[in-house]
Amino acid sequence: MSTVSPDMAAKIIDGKAIARSLTEQVGRDVAAFVERGNTLPGLAVVLVGNDPASEVYVKNKALQTHRAGMRSFMHMLPQSTSQAELLDLIADLNANSQIHGILVQLPLPAQIDPVVVTNAIVAHKDVDGLGEINAGRMALGIDGIVPCTPLGCLKLLQSVHTDMQGKHAVIIGASNLVGKPMAQLMLREGCTVSVGHIHTRDTRALAREGDILVVATGKHGLVRGDWIKPGATVIDVGITRVPTEHGKTRLVGDVAFEEALPVAGHITPVPGGVGPMTIACLLHNTLQAALLAQNVVSRPDQKV
């Protein structure tokens, strides 16, 4: 139980509500897109192996894709799938005009190089935004497909801040999936950006400088309450399942939530924060991919 007084607690950023609003907007935009005579957007999701958590995740993606009025194509491959076999499937999906977005669920089995697989997806269908072309476009400040999780984090921040110019954004975690693209997005917003990583000497001191603090390390409870600048906006990307004293499990983030509540100005919960936004942004990116495929110019509010 939290002991934080309601008038002292940070305001919770409701990722579920913001994701629901975005998904509904995507659904309306999909309907308008089809009414203009375009092909119904289609998303192909590829899962290699039988990891139960990944299976639940990709099935949820398929469900949300249908709810947004788009087609979903599921490809469930065995753990023993070779890299060559997976690349053959991607080549077929690249050539299929009914499929506008391709997502290969990570992690992949040890025999498959995720970098090779990601770069095999043509750039305009790379709805995860992780291929070299889209990553390069982001680094150069050129429009491209933005990785779903960082894009979701940005939209959560924009729900709190109408203008982030001049704010100090501190990102803890420098992965290609979240940390690096998040830094690029914050630079686009006019923030001063610092990135902490495994070799940072005093991560606590760095974190305390952040007007905006984005944490994506996969190490649950890493960021304590005294790591947070009073009034900062905290985006917790981490998600880990830990055991409880009753023999069950619960999901927790990289931020010690109860300690952060009386310090932060706004904070995302885990679950219910970044997670729903990642899927909503996947749907957003799939529509963007369909727009690219049809050579249709999107509305300004559909762009990052």
Side-chain angles (χ1 to χ4, degrees), residues 22-41:
L22 176 58
T23 299
E24 290 170 354
Q25 182 61 55
V26 170
R28 290 190 291 270
D29 290 343
V30 166
F33 179 74
V34 174
E35 286 176 4
R36 294 196 297 269
N38 296 305
T39 303
L40 189 68

Side-chain angles (χ1 to χ4, degrees), residues 228-284:
I228 298 168
K229 180 179 181 178
T233 300
V234 180
I235 305 294
D236 189 350
V237 184
I239 185 164
T240 306
R241 188 170 292 278
V242 299
T244 68
E245 59 185 14
H246 304 295
K248 298 182 179 181
T249 61
R250 65 187 180 98
L251 296 174
V252 298
D254 290 354
V255 178
F257 187 75
E258 297 294 334
E259 294 182 18
L261 275 176
V263 185
H266 294 82
I267 189 169
T268 57
V270 176
V274 175
M277 288 300 298
T278 296
I279 295 179
C281 287
L282 172 64
L283 305 178
H284 169 277

Side-chain angles (χ1 to χ4, degrees), residues 14 72 83 87 93 107 115 127 140 170 209 250 258 269 277:
D14 189 344
S72 175
Q83 180 166 296
L87 291 175
L93 298 176
V115 175
V127 288
L140 293 171
V170 175
E209 295 178 7
R250 65 187 180 98
E258 297 294 334
M277 288 300 298

Side-chain angles (χ1 to χ4, degrees), residues 176-250:
N176 291 332
L177 185 64
V178 180
K180 291 177 184 176
M182 195 72 230
Q184 296 290 343
L185 289 177
M186 291 291 90
L187 286 171
R188 287 191 188 186
E189 293 296 312
C191 294
T192 297
V193 179
S194 299
V195 180
H197 46 77
I198 194 169
H199 300 296
T200 300
R201 292 183 178 179
D202 192 343
T203 309
R204 174 184 175 276
L206 177 64
R208 281 187 60 84
E209 295 178 7
D211 303 305
I212 293 168
L213 180 62
V214 181
V215 190
T217 67
K219 186 174 181 180
H220 69 271
L222 171 69
V223 173
R224 317 301 299 192
D226 64 358
W227 287 37
I228 298 168
K229 180 179 181 178
T233 300
V234 180
I235 305 294
D236 189 350
V237 184
I239 185 164
T240 306
R241 188 170 292 278
V242 299
T244 68
E245 59 185 14
H246 304 295
K248 298 182 179 181
T249 61
R250 65 187 180 98

Side-chain angles (χ1 to χ4, degrees), residues 51-225:
D51 177 70
S54 292
E55 286 182 4
V56 170
Y57 194 46
V58 298
K59 287 177 181 177
N60 190 29
K61 287 176 179 177
L63 177 63
Q64 295 299 326
T65 302
H66 286 298
R67 285 180 176 172
M70 296 185 283
R71 286 187 289 188
S72 175
F73 302 84
M74 297 288 295
H75 296 269
M76 314 286 278
L77 307 180
Q79 183 79 17
S80 59
T81 299
S82 69
Q83 180 166 296
E85 289 171 327
L86 179 54
L87 291 175
D88 284 343
L89 172 60
I90 291 172
D92 290 341
L93 298 176
N94 282 338
N96 188 336
S97 61
Q98 301 302 306
I99 292 172
H100 302 91
I102 303 169
L103 184 147
V104 178
Q105 185 67 33
L106 301 176
L108 290 166
Q111 72 272 16
I112 301 176
D113 185 339
V115 175
V116 172
V117 169
T118 299
N119 285 319
I121 302 170
V122 293
H124 66 276
K125 294 189 179 187
D126 172 26
V127 288
D128 244 352
L130 299 177
E132 292 176 353
I133 292 176
N134 282 312
R137 286 173 176 164
M138 174 172 284
L140 293 171
I142 300 171
D143 283 343
I145 297 178
V146 177
C148 302
T149 298
L151 179 58
C153 293
L154 176 62
K155 290 182 179 297
L156 291 171
L157 287 168
Q158 289 172 334
S159 75
V160 175
H161 301 284
T162 57
D163 183 2
M164 287 178 270
Q165 276 194 344
K167 293 188 181 297
H168 189 178
V170 175
I171 299 158
I172 308 299
S175 69
N176 291 332
L177 185 64
V178 180
K180 291 177 184 176
M182 195 72 230
Q184 296 290 343
L185 289 177
M186 291 291 90
L187 286 171
R188 287 191 188 186
E189 293 296 312
C191 294
T192 297
V193 179
S194 299
V195 180
H197 46 77
I198 194 169
H199 300 296
T200 300
R201 292 183 178 179
D202 192 343
T203 309
R204 174 184 175 276
L206 177 64
R208 281 187 60 84
E209 295 178 7
D211 303 305
I212 293 168
L213 180 62
V214 181
V215 190
T217 67
K219 186 174 181 180
H220 69 271
L222 171 69
V223 173
R224 317 301 299 192

